[in-house]
């Protein structure tokens, strides 16, 4: 089993680029253009006939976006990839390419809340039923699979960090003829490469670790050429959530440091999770690296985890006393963030049941950034001290 470290060399290759850039620039230039012109009628008609593949219009093909897609495909070990204007753009286009009215999807519980809402609104309106299952209960997953068109996975999940045996779930899906899709945003390709575990398509909110600098909203899906070609041909151009050249350029920049950032998030978050688990005011910690061994194929842990306080802590005082941890949604950047569960549940658009994505109102989610373990721990400790109800 790989330990993830061999990816450092691979990433080094990606970072240095195989091809020479225009003007021998060390950084690939941004091809910031909406359209590309032709030098002759013959060249134009040959392109439209499909005899020549070249950029025509940036909603279709753009060289900077293509460079990002090729980099991500390499990292995930896929034949091809497609970039999107957001993670939700990638999720919507991917799922909608492969389902039609009357189909059924199986999804693990606790999926990202906006994916849950997409399933409960647009898919429901299209008469596509979604069955939620416990991804840790393989017998329950197998029971739900017969007749399903697609299984939608997310592991580890992004609120309770439930880590599934992705390879086992993918092989169940294959046995029942269901396409498997996974949201791999939490682990990033540094710590989990689902295509190698037998999953058909892997997608990311590239807004998180792939970017790493909290300055991009983007998404991507990777997998075999046949499946990516279907998304490219059937839904991306018409749903239209195309990644922009500038965002692709920022992602290429961010991915150069992905491997070292992930190692730093991992060690800091694991140490803070351990200290929280031992803290007198903490009831429980959801971090896949504590307790049980990681499931096969997950070779490391990232900076995102959640925990719950015991009674006697004022959540508002805790949040307001934090200095390094900022109150904010999203994650995956250099900065540390905190989100209280009860705040997320106060959101109007929230479905009735918080059950499906495992959100406990007493829980708090932390993203451990790159500020340094001791500084972050001292921030947490003093905020807890200040939040004790006398
Ligand atoms: C943020 C997120 C998404 C959605 O991505 P956007 O880029 O915000 O559209 C999907 N899945 C997970 C796990 C996320 O955290």
């Amino acid at each position: 089993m790989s330990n993830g470290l061999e990816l450092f060399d691979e990433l080094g290759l990606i970072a240095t680029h195989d091809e020479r850039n225009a003007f021998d620039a060390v950084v690939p230039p941004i091809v910031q253009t909406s359209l590309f012109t032709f030098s002759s009628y013959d060249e134009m008609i040959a392109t439209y006939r499909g005899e020549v593949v070249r950029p025509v219009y940036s909603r279709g093909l753009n060289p900077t976006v293509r460079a990002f897609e090729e980099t991500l495909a390499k990292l995930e070990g896929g034949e091809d990839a497609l970039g999107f204007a957001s993670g939700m753009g990638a999720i919507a286009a991917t799922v909608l390419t492969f389902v039609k009215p009357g189909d059924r999807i199986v999804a693990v519980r606790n999926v990202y809340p906006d994916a849950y809402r997409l399933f409960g609104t647009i898919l429901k309106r299209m008469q596509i039923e979604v069955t939620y299952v416990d991804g840790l209960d393989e017998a329950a997953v197998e029971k739900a699979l017969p007749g399903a068109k697609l299984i939608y996975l997310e592991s580890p999940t992004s609120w309770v960090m439930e880590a599934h045996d992705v390879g086992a779930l993918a092989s169940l899906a294959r046995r029942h003829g269901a396409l498997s899709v996974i949201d791999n945003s939490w682990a990033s390709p540094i710590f989990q490469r689902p295509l190698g575990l037998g999953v058909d398509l892997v997608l990311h909110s590239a807004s998180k670790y792939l970017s790493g600098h909290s300055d991009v909203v983007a998404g991507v899906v990777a997998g075999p050429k046949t499946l990516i070609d279907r998304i490219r041909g059937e839904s991306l151009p018409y749903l239209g959530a195309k990644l922009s050249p500038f965002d692709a350029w920022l992602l290429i920049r961010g991915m150069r440091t992905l491997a070292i950032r992930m190692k730093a998030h991992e060690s800091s978050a694991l140490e803070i999770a351990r200290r929280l688990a031992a803290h007198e005011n903490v009831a429980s910690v959801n971090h896949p690296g504590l307790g049980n061994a990681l499931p096969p194929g997950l070779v490391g842990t990232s900076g995102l985890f959640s925990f719950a306080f015991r009674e006697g802590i004022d959540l508002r005082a805790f949040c307001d006393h934090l200095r390094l941890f900022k109150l904010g949604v999203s994650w995956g950047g250099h900065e540390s963030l905190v989100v209280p569960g009860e705040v997320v549940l106060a959101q109007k658009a929230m479905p009735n049941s918080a059950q499906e994505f495992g959100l406990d109102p007493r829980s708090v989610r932390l993203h451990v950034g790159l500020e340094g373990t001791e500084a972050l721990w001292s921030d947490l400790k003093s905020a807890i001290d200040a939040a004790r109800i006398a």
Side-chain angles (χ1 to χ4, degrees):
M1 184 51 58
S2 83
N3 61 9
L5 287 172
E6 75 280 4
L7 283 171
F8 279 74
D9 287 340
E10 196 168 325
L11 198 88
L13 277 178
I14 288 162
T16 50
H17 265 254
D18 315 310
E19 288 171 42
R20 295 201 79 77
N21 296 316
F23 309 108
D24 291 334
V26 69
V27 170
I30 312 174
V31 184
Q32 186 74 29
T33 184
S34 62
L35 70 108
F36 300 82
T37 57
F38 298 90
S39 61
S40 68
Y41 173 95
D42 282 347
E43 193 188 347
M44 190 170 191
I45 200 165
T47 305
Y48 273 75
R49 281 188 186 129
E51 293 158 11
V52 176
V53 178
R54 48 149 284 175
V56 174
Y57 185 56
S58 281
R59 178 152 50 79
L61 183 59
N62 174 283
T64 314
V65 174
R66 194 61 200 141
F68 160 69
E69 292 169 344
E70 284 170 358
T71 304
L72 191 279
K74 251 200 253 180
L75 258 180
E76 281 289 7
E79 286 174 351
D80 203 355
L82 279 179
F84 291 84
S86 70
M88 283 310 302
I91 293 169
T94 300
V95 171
L96 289 172
T97 298
F98 298 101
V99 292
K100 60 176 190 320
D103 282 347
R104 195 167 59 81
I105 290 178
V106 174
V108 292
R109 63 179 184 187
N110 310 335
V111 292
Y112 177 68
D114 282 350
Y116 179 82
R117 292 185 191 111
L118 171 74
F119 297 164
T121 54
I122 295 188
L123 262 58
K124 194 171 174 194
R125 224 177 291 151
M126 289 173 64
Q127 266 102 53
I128 295 155
E129 191 198 324
V130 183
T131 314
Y132 288 94
V133 291
D134 175 354
L136 294 171
D137 183 349
E138 280 157 34
V141 175
E142 175 139 46
K143 204 162 145 238
L145 274 170
K149 189 63 158 286
L150 184 150
I151 183 166
Y152 186 87
L153 307 171
E154 184 182 324
S155 181
T157 55
S158 57
W159 195 277
V160 285
M161 290 77 209
E162 203 172 83
H164 306 137
D165 184 337
V166 169
L169 297 182
S171 82
L172 285 178
R174 188 141 303 181
R175 200 173 324 141
H176 289 277
L179 187 81
S180 53
V181 176
I182 190 168
D183 182 334
N184 195 32
S185 306
W186 188 92
S188 91
I190 301 302
F191 292 145
Q192 180 167 263
R193 297 210 289 173
L195 300 175
L197 302 171
V199 176
D200 294 312
L201 288 166
V202 56
L203 52 84
H204 288 270
S205 168
S207 324
K208 313 295 162 56
Y209 287 125
L210 298 181
S211 146
H213 295 71
S214 302
D215 50 12
V216 178
V217 172
V220 66
V221 59
K225 196 171 173 335
T226 48
L227 297 178
I228 296 296
D229 274 347
R230 279 199 58 190
I231 303 169
R232 181 187 282 120
E234 293 178 28
S235 62
L236 172 59
Y238 316 120
L239 293 174
K242 177 73 180 187
L243 179 61
S244 80
F246 183 53
D247 286 343
W249 183 87
L250 286 170
L251 289 170
I252 294 167
R253 187 272 318 251
M255 281 159 61
R256 292 199 181 95
T257 56
L258 180 63
I260 53 172
R261 283 189 283 108
M262 293 312 291
K263 283 285 158 190
H265 287 298
E266 174 176 51
S267 64
S268 237
L270 199 51
E271 181 58 28
I272 286 171
R274 284 193 187 116
R275 292 185 193 178
L276 280 173
H279 195 285
E280 54 178 342
N281 292 102
V282 171
S284 59
V285 179
N286 298 312
H287 185 301
L290 300 185
N292 298 338
L294 297 178
L298 181 64
V299 298
T301 57
S302 71
L304 190 76
F305 68 95
S306 64
F307 69 97
F309 281 119
R310 293 185 199 283
E311 293 297 318
I313 291 291
D314 178 350
L315 259 183
R316 175 193 286 158
F318 170 71
C319 292
D320 287 346
H321 273 90
L322 287 167
R323 287 293 166 264
L324 291 178
F325 283 88
K326 307 284 184 207
L327 276 159
V329 80
S330 192
W331 44 275
H334 47 85
E335 76 286 13
S336 290
L337 295 165
V338 57
V339 186
E342 62 188 21
V343 168
V344 175
L345 287 171
Q347 200 179 334
K348 280 228 182 62
M350 216 64 189
N352 295 332
S353 162
Q355 204 59 37
E356 278 85 351
F357 46 89
L359 215 163
D360 171 351
R362 291 287 307 160
S363 64
V364 177
R365 191 178 75 178
L366 296 182
H367 179 252
V368 175
L370 305 174
E371 297 92 337
T373 314
E374 295 310 325
L376 291 171
W377 177 245
S378 126
D379 192 31
L380 285 170
K381 227 164 59 93
S382 38
I384 297 173
D385 289 343
R388 276 201 198 94
I389 298 164

